[in-house]
């Protein structure tokens, strides 16, 4: 059980050996994500089944649809991050994203078999996710001590993943009770998503200042030129962090590894194809990976805080590489099923929140949402290419060839990332890289 308390980034450090409480804002954000993920995963769990098996889309068409809907988030991630940083509007911008995703459900409900309307609904959902993700993660960063970012993100992702577990269960129950009525899934998903928007409005703290501080925080210690330095960093835009070589390497590695990441939907389709089980059980596949993610998210975050965030991030992608290999291995079907879902859960636990915790300390004050959005955009754009390429190779040469190509690409990307990824400043007590962005030494943060 996680205990809530307020926690400011400028608060005095907790004595060594004393476990800090998870900030209340992180728990509030986790509650919103839990509810919202129930809504989104209800749709995600049945969508591949609905499109490929129900509407008869080819793997290439599904890859194009999935890739294009993901591409829709790329530019809005940057726009959402930059807008959220302007005057500290993290809550307002994030709320728009949650509302947009919720409103995409009625479009699915009314689309029928029209692929164009389905694509519109998917794009709206991904746009909403793109808008809200950077402001939400910026709020986690701003309300957590830098040395505990891994645990804060791990706690949030664990709560988020609880929703990912409940969503497919709800979808399966509805399909079973309504004789495969997908419309019922979409309708209930909309209602749950609307409740998540309400929780965001009621629980998440309001506006923060232009420097990312809460208005309830005490003023920082006076230092000459600090206001001018913050404004200068703000005017530099969300790409200002790219002047830091270490931050540039993080963005590059996120893109390289994203370009070799096969989407979950493809892995679940491959499992269904290999095991040839009844399609009714398809929504249960995400549950195994989500359960592992739920169990390991917080421990992985704590491990990253203690040993450095670079290692767990790389090892997580190694787990994904093993999952690809299992799908090709001549092993019993049960071993393949359990192994792939276990490794997929390990992958997300060791990479999702850890990547944000790795990048966070390299960002200037007032630029957290924009800086995290750059990392997320690089990863999203790379995954668009991965989805389209994997679907194309599968359609032309078969799933085996597509998996071999994916394994080759991921191995190469891991080798590059192992050489390029920097060590987080908080891991070794070194200076924060964003200090080099200040035009004058007097503007450096303490």
């Amino acid at each position: 059980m996680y205990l809530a308390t307020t926690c400011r980034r400028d608060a005095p450090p907790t004595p060594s050996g004393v476990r800090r409480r998870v900030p209340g804002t992180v728990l509030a954000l986790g509650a919103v994500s839990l509810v919202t993920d129930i809504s989104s995963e209800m749709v995600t769990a049945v969508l591949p089944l609905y499109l490929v098996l129900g509407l008869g889309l080819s793997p290439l068409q599904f890859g194009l649809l999935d890739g294009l809907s993901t591409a829709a988030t790329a530019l809005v991630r940057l726009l959402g991050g930059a807008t959220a940083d302007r005057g500290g509007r993290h809550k307002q911008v994030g709320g728009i994203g949650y509302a947009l995703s919720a409103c995409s459900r009625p479009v699915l409900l009314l689309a029928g078999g029209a692929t164009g309307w389905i694509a519109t609904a998917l794009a709206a959902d991904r746009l909403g996710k793109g808008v809200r993700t950077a402001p939400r993660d910026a709020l986690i960063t701003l309300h957590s001590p830098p040395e505990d970012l891994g645990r804060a993100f791990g706690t949030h992702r664990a709560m988020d993943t609880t929703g990912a577990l409940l969503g497919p269960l709800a979808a399966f129950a509805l399909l079973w009770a309504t004789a495969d009525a997908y419309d019922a899934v979409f309708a209930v998903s909309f209602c749950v998503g609307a409740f998540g928007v309400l929780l965001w409005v009621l629980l998440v703290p309001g506006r923060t200042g232009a420097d990312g501080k809460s208005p309830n925080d005490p003023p920082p210690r006076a230092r000459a030129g600090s206001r001018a330095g913050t404004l200068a960093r703000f005017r530099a835009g969300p790409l200002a962090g790219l002047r830091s070589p270490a931050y540039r390497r993080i963005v590059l590695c996120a893109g390289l590894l994203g370009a070799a990441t096969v989407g979950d939907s493809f892995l679940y389709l491959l499992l269904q194809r290999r095991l040839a089980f009844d399609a009714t059980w398809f929504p249960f596949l995400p549950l195994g990976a989500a359960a592992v993610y739920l169990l390991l998210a917080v421990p992985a975050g704590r491990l990253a805080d203690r040993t450095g965030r670079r290692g767990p991030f790389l090892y997580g992608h190694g787990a994904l590489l093993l999952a690809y290999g299992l799908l090709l291995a001549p092993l019993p079907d049960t071993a393949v099923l359990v192994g792939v879902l276990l490794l997929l859960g390990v992958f997300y636990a060791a990479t999702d929140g850890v990547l944000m915790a790795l990048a966070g300390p390299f960002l200037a004050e007032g630029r957290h949402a924009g800086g995290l959005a750059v990392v997320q955009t690089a990863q999203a754009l790379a995954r668009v290419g991965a989805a389209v390429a994997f679907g194309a190779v599968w359609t032309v040469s078969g799933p085996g060839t597509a998996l071999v190509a994916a394994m080759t690409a991921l191995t190469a990307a891991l080798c590059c990332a192992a050489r390029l990824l920097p060590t987080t400043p908080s891991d070794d007590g070194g200076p924060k890289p964003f200090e080099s962005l200040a035009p004058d030494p007097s503007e450096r943060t303490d």
Side-chain angles (χ1 to χ4, degrees):
M1 176 106 184
Y2 305 112
L3 300 177
T5 186
T6 57
C7 184
R8 297 187 299 268
R9 291 173 64 83
D10 59 349
T14 303
S16 178
V18 177
R19 177 171 294 182
R20 301 173 182 85
R21 295 179 178 181
V22 176
T25 299
V26 175
L27 297 181
L29 293 167
V32 174
S33 293
L34 187 156
V35 173
T36 302
D37 235 38
I38 292 176
S39 171
S40 62
E41 292 301 325
M42 286 179 66
V43 175
T44 302
V46 302
L47 202 59
L49 188 68
Y50 179 58
L51 296 178
V52 177
L53 301 182
L55 300 183
L57 269 64
S58 71
L60 175 57
Q61 289 174 312
F62 178 72
L64 285 170
L65 191 60
D66 185 64
L68 290 174
S69 61
T70 301
T73 69
L75 293 179
V76 297
R77 284 178 190 268
L78 295 176
L79 179 61
T83 304
D85 283 332
R86 187 185 296 274
R89 297 187 178 93
H90 301 96
K91 178 173 182 177
Q92 292 88 333
V93 175
I96 291 172
Y98 279 103
L100 185 58
S101 292
C103 291
S104 70
R105 309 296 187 243
V107 179
L108 277 175
L109 185 62
L110 300 174
T115 305
W117 282 107
I118 293 173
T120 300
L122 291 179
D125 179 53
R126 298 296 177 88
L127 283 170
K129 185 174 183 178
V131 168
R132 73 180 185 250
T133 301
R136 181 202 67 201
D137 287 348
L139 286 171
I140 296 174
T141 302
L142 290 168
H143 288 84
S144 305
E147 65 274 14
D148 284 343
L149 279 177
R151 186 166 69 105
F153 276 103
T155 300
H156 173 269
R157 296 316 197 248
M159 297 178 72
D160 181 272
T161 307
T162 301
L165 275 169
L166 297 176
L169 286 175
F172 176 81
L174 283 170
L175 289 177
W176 177 78
T178 60
D180 295 339
Y182 292 97
D183 288 352
V185 175
F186 301 149
V188 174
S189 173
F190 166 68
C191 295
V192 177
F195 180 59
V197 175
L198 179 62
L199 289 180
W200 176 272
V201 173
L202 296 178
L203 299 181
V204 176
R207 172 178 294 202
T208 55
D211 60 353
K213 302 292 185 181
S214 167
N216 297 322
D217 288 347
R221 286 175 287 177
R223 53 182 183 268
S226 60
R227 181 176 177 81
T230 298
L231 292 175
R233 286 190 292 270
F234 172 75
R235 286 193 294 267
L239 300 180
L242 293 175
R243 285 182 286 175
S244 165
Y247 176 73
R248 283 201 305 269
R249 293 199 297 271
I250 292 175
V251 174
L252 176 60
C253 290
L256 285 174
L257 291 168
T261 301
V262 176
D264 297 354
S265 298
F266 276 121
L267 295 182
Y268 298 146
L269 285 171
L270 287 167
L271 281 174
Q272 196 276 337
R273 179 188 179 97
R274 172 163 177 167
L275 275 63
F277 53 78
D278 189 275
T280 307
W281 298 97
F282 190 88
F284 276 106
L285 287 178
L287 295 182
V292 177
Y293 187 6
L294 174 62
L295 292 174
L296 297 182
V298 176
R302 288 175 176 165
L303 178 65
D305 288 336
R306 288 198 304 266
T307 65
R309 293 151 191 165
R310 180 180 179 275
F313 183 69
L314 292 173
Y315 292 139
H317 282 88
L320 182 63
L321 181 62
L322 291 176
Y324 294 173
L326 274 183
L327 286 167
L328 294 171
L331 296 173
D333 289 346
T334 302
V336 172
L337 174 64
V338 173
V340 169
L341 297 181
L342 175 64
L343 290 169
L344 191 59
V346 171
F347 162 67
Y348 280 113
T351 61
D352 189 10
V354 172
L355 175 59
M356 298 297 98
L358 176 64
F362 291 93
L363 301 173
E365 291 182 3
R367 304 308 321 151
H368 291 90
L372 293 178
V374 171
V375 178
Q376 294 161 357
T377 299
Q379 189 178 62
L381 286 175
R383 288 182 176 178
V384 170
V388 174
F390 189 85
V393 176
W394 183 349
T395 301
V396 173
S397 303
T401 303
L403 275 172
V404 171
M407 290 182 65
T408 303
L410 184 53
T411 301
L414 268 172
C415 292
C416 293
R419 296 180 61 87
L420 293 175
L421 272 180
T423 302
T424 305
S426 59
D427 295 337
D428 55 15
K432 290 179 173 57
F434 67 69
E435 292 179 347
S436 63
L437 300 177
D440 185 86
S442 64
E443 295 175 10
R444 295 186 180 183
T445 57
D446 294 324

